[in-house]
Amino acid sequence: MASEATAALRKVRLITALKTPYLADGNVDYKAFDKLCEHQIANGVEGIIVGGTTGEGHLLSWAEHLSLIAHSKAKYGGKLVIVGNTGSNNTGEMAYATKKGFALGMDAALLINPYYGKTSDKGIVMHIEASLKYGPAFIYNVAGRTGQDIKPEVMMQLKDHANFIGVKECSGHERIKAYADKGICCWSGNDDQMHESRHKHGAVGVISVTSQIVPALVKRLMTTQDDALDAKLQPLYKWLFTDPNPIGVNTMLMMLGAAEPVFRLPYTFVPKDRRAQGVELLKSIGLENCPAFGTLKVLEDSDFKHIVGEEDDH
C-alpha cells in the first residue's frame, strides 16, 4: 500500500526537468537557477527535477548535485515538489545519493535502471529496490538513453512498494494506457505526446522540458484538453529535440537571457541558422510566455563558452 507521501505525489500534473545553469568559471549559477525556479512557480508548475538528464546530473559531481537538491528544498520547499535525480548505473552510488537526498529534504527521487552496464530483469528490480526503500520515487524508463527497456512485467514487481509513485514513461501512448488500466500512475516523458497521453491515454501528467520555455502553456495542456494549443507548440517541441536533449533547451534559455551562454562539454550550441528560426518561433508563440530575463537574441557563435566541469582550468 502506498505511503501517505507517495499517494500525495501521485496527484502532481506538471513537473519541469530543470536546467542547471553555469557561471563562466564553470560553477553552478545559483542566481540563474533561482530565477528559473521563480518563473516556474509563477506559472503554475508544481514540481522540478533537480539534476535530471536535462539538468545534466551526469555532468555534476555528487557534491554539486546534492548541494543543488539541498538548495532547492531550503528555498522552494512548500512551493515546489523537489524531485532529486539520484539515479545511477552504479547501485551503491544511487543508494548513497538517494539516502543523502532524502536526508537533505527532497520530496522524491527519480530512479533509473542501469544504463551501459545492463543487467537482468531481476537485477533491475534489485537495483531499484536498493534505493526505493529510502523514500517516494518515480521510476524513469527511457530505453533510448539506457539501452534497456524496463518491461511491464518488471514494473509490476515494483508497483506495490510503499514508496513507488509511478513511472516517467518514454515508450509512448500504448505503454502508458496499459499501465493506467492497471492502476499504475504515469507521467509522459515525451513532450510531443504529452497532451494526448494526458487526455486520451490515462497519464497523470508530464515531466517536461518544454515547460522551462513556456510553463503556463504546458500547464494549460495538462489541465485542459486544447488540441489547437498542442498543435501550435509542435514546432517548438521539434526545435527543442532536433539535437539530443538538453542541447536545444540550453541554447534557447541562453538566447532568452535566462542563463549565461556557458556549456559543459560534451554539450554545445544549436547552429546559428536554427537559432534564428528559434527566435521567430518564440515570437510567434508569444514572448510573454517565456522566461525572458534579458532581450531575446540569436547570439553569435563566439558568445558561447565551453567548459569541462566545475572550476574549469582547461
Side-chain angles (χ1 to χ4, degrees), residues 120-168:
S120 63
D121 288 350
K122 182 179 179 180
I124 292 173
V125 172
M126 295 174 72
H127 171 78
I128 291 173
E129 285 182 338
S131 293
L132 195 55
K133 63 184 179 182
Y134 292 116
F138 297 87
I139 310 305
Y140 184 16
N141 185 37
V142 56
R145 286 190 180 271
T146 64
Q148 185 176 30
D149 181 35
I150 303 178
K151 293 177 282 192
E153 52 265 36
V154 174
M155 206 67 74
M156 295 301 288
Q157 296 178 59
L158 296 166
K159 75 176 183 66
D160 292 326
H161 195 289
N163 290 328
F164 177 91
I165 301 168
V167 189
K168 178 185 177 183

Side-chain angles (χ1 to χ4, degrees), residues 255-300:
M255 290 161 53
L256 283 162
E260 292 295 318
V262 179
F263 280 92
R264 271 196 186 180
L265 290 170
Y267 299 120
T268 188
F269 51 82
V270 169
K272 188 174 181 180
D273 61 332
R274 285 195 11 245
R275 297 200 300 272
Q277 293 168 7
V279 166
E280 296 308 312
L281 186 56
L282 289 181
K283 288 179 179 177
S284 70
I285 293 169
L287 290 177
E288 68 276 8
N289 298 298
C290 305
F293 305 138
T295 303
L296 177 62
K297 299 176 181 176
V298 173
L299 297 176
E300 298 297 329

Side-chain angles (χ1 to χ4, degrees), residues 4-259:
E4 185 177 340
T6 298
L9 289 163
R10 288 177 175 169
K11 300 175 183 178
V12 176
R13 294 255 183 240
L14 174 56
I15 300 172
T16 295
L18 204 68
K19 170 180 169 47
T20 302
Y22 304 110
L23 296 166
D25 65 4
N27 287 296
V28 173
D29 186 344
Y30 281 90
K31 185 176 179 180
F33 181 85
D34 288 350
K35 283 188 174 183
L36 290 172
C37 286
E38 287 156 12
H39 187 72
Q40 295 290 302
I41 293 165
N43 285 278
V45 173
E46 296 151 271
I48 56 170
I49 305 288
V50 180
T53 305
T54 305
E56 302 177 16
H58 48 293
L59 301 185
L60 301 174
S61 68
W62 279 116
E64 288 178 307
H65 202 147
L66 292 169
S67 292
L68 202 54
I69 289 170
H71 172 84
S72 301
K73 182 61 179 182
K75 195 152 188 177
Y76 300 109
K79 296 180 179 179
L80 289 168
V81 172
I82 306 301
V83 182
N85 170 35
T86 52
S88 173
N89 62 348
N90 180 317
T91 307
E93 280 193 10
M94 184 165 89
Y96 171 83
T98 302
K99 183 178 181 180
K100 291 295 184 183
F102 281 114
L104 293 167
M106 70 183 185
D107 299 296
L110 182 68
L111 304 177
I112 199 164
N113 52 311
Y115 43 88
Y116 184 71
K118 295 183 284 188
T119 185
S120 63
D121 288 350
K122 182 179 179 180
I124 292 173
V125 172
M126 295 174 72
H127 171 78
I128 291 173
E129 285 182 338
S131 293
L132 195 55
K133 63 184 179 182
Y134 292 116
F138 297 87
I139 310 305
Y140 184 16
N141 185 37
V142 56
R145 286 190 180 271
T146 64
Q148 185 176 30
D149 181 35
I150 303 178
K151 293 177 282 192
E153 52 265 36
V154 174
M155 206 67 74
M156 295 301 288
Q157 296 178 59
L158 296 166
K159 75 176 183 66
D160 292 326
H161 195 289
N163 290 328
F164 177 91
I165 301 168
V167 189
K168 178 185 177 183
E169 182 57 69
C170 297
S171 298
H173 300 313
E174 185 177 347
R175 178 76 61 89
I176 286 173
K177 185 179 187 309
Y179 281 151
D181 289 347
K182 290 182 170 65
I184 295 175
C185 293
C186 287
W187 287 260
S188 175
N190 301 324
D191 282 3
D192 60 339
Q193 297 181 345
M194 61 181 168
H195 180 254
E196 185 176 340
S197 283
R198 162 73 182 93
H199 295 287
K200 297 181 180 179
H201 302 285
V204 173
V206 66
I207 296 177
S208 175
V209 173
T210 306
S211 55
Q212 278 191 101
I213 305 299
V214 286
L217 300 185
V218 177
K219 177 74 171 185
R220 190 189 309 169
L221 291 179
M222 290 300 101
T223 55
T224 305
Q225 185 167 350
D226 190 335
D227 295 342
L229 177 58
D230 185 49
K232 183 177 181 179
L233 293 180
Q234 287 293 329
L236 177 60
Y237 308 148
K238 183 177 180 180
W239 193 97
L240 289 171
F241 294 100
T242 295
D243 291 305
N245 184 52
I247 290 171
V249 72
N250 279 353
T251 303
M252 189 161 273
L253 287 169
M254 293 167 188
M255 290 161 53
L256 283 162

